Every structure is written in structure tokens, then in C-alpha cells.
Amino acid sequence: MTDAELIAAARGAAEHSYSPYSEYSVGAALLFDDDAVITGTNIENASYGLALCAETVAVAKAMADGRRGGLTAVAVTGPADKGDGAPITPCGRCRQVLNELAQLGGTDPDIHCVGVGENGADTVKTVKLSALLPAAFGPANLG
Ligand code: THU
């Protein structure tokens, strides 16, 4: 699985975004050490504050399937028609949610943050989860 393929999986997931209120579609794709890919997209609610982010939906799907680690990379895509096209980075809550799954397996996944450049091509900024969420609180603290 190449980075480009993982990003394409995230973009595919965003096609199912339910975001009628923000009209801001987000896709997420999680890559695991057995090459499995699990995707998510944002799901909003008429009670606006109940929106679920794409990354959180993907982690919930993965953990509901029994996954408890093995997270090696994540791609997060933002929409082409919003903002300045800069790569979208996971919100603070999603960083914490991603950290739970990563820390369970002792990995520090690459987070491929993806936007859309002026020419329509992907703009990608790759950062480690530990850089997005330094000094994280996680399951190891409770063990
Ligand atoms: N959103 C995500 O899905 N992931 C993020 O990391 C940032 C924000 C969603 C939530 C909401 O549906 C829309 O983007 C606008 O905030």
C-alpha cells in the first residue's frame, strides 16, 4: 500500500460524508501492519455539536472489528472547495482517539494530512502522531 493509495482510500470514504451543515467533507483511512485499511468519514447531526469526525469514525470501526493496535499510518483528506487548500490536520479530539489505538500497539503512525493545491493536486504534509500530540495521555498511564 503506497501513501497515494491510502490517500485515495480516504478520498473514497469522503464520498460518503454526511455533512449537510458544514458542507465540509473529510475522509480518513487507517493502515494496519497486516495491510488492512479501514476508512471513515464525518457524520454530522441536526444537533450540530454531535458531529462525528472522520478519524474517530474510522477508529471506532477498527476497534469494533477487534483491532487493538497495529496502526502504522493514517491519511486524512479535506474538501477541494473549502479553505485555502492547506493540508487538513486531525482535530484535538481525534488526535487523542488515534493515540488510544496507536498506543495499545506501541506504534507512532505517520499521519498524512492532505489538502488540495491550486492545480487540483494533493498537497501532503506527513507528521508523526507523537508530533501532533506530544506528551500524550494514554492507556499506558492507567496500566
Ligand atoms: N472534521 C473531521 O471529520 N475531522 C477533523 O479532524 C476536523 C473536522 C469534520 C467535523 C465536521 O463535520 C466538519 O469537519 C467541519 O468541522
Side-chain angles (χ1 to χ4, degrees):
M1 166 75 52
T2 65
D3 294 353
E5 287 170 335
L6 191 66
I7 290 166
R11 288 229 180 274
E15 291 177 15
H16 293 141
S17 172
Y18 176 68
S19 47
Y21 309 109
S22 71
E23 297 184 334
Y24 191 91
S25 56
V26 182
L30 312 181
L31 177 64
F32 291 87
D33 56 8
D34 62 355
D35 292 330
V37 174
I38 295 180
T39 61
T41 189
N42 55 328
I43 301 170
E44 297 184 345
N45 191 280
S47 179
Y48 299 161
L50 301 185
L52 300 174
C53 288
E55 304 92 313
T56 290
V57 169
V59 170
K61 284 173 66 179
M63 295 190 76
D65 282 351
R67 292 187 181 270
R68 295 293 185 268
L71 183 63
T72 59
V74 178
V76 185
T77 63
D81 57 348
K82 298 279 183 179
D84 60 2
I88 175 179
T89 58
C91 81
R93 183 176 189 271
C94 286
R95 295 176 195 200
Q96 183 71 22
V97 169
L98 288 164
N99 179 71
E100 186 79 16
L101 181 55
Q103 201 180 95
L104 285 173
T107 62
D108 186 9
D110 286 320
I111 313 294
H112 304 298
C113 305
V114 186
V116 182
E118 282 181 11
N119 58 1
D122 288 335
T123 54
V124 185
K125 176 182 173 189
T126 299
V127 284
K128 287 285 186 187
L129 179 59
S130 61
L132 289 176
L133 191 68
F137 179 83
N141 293 96
L142 299 176

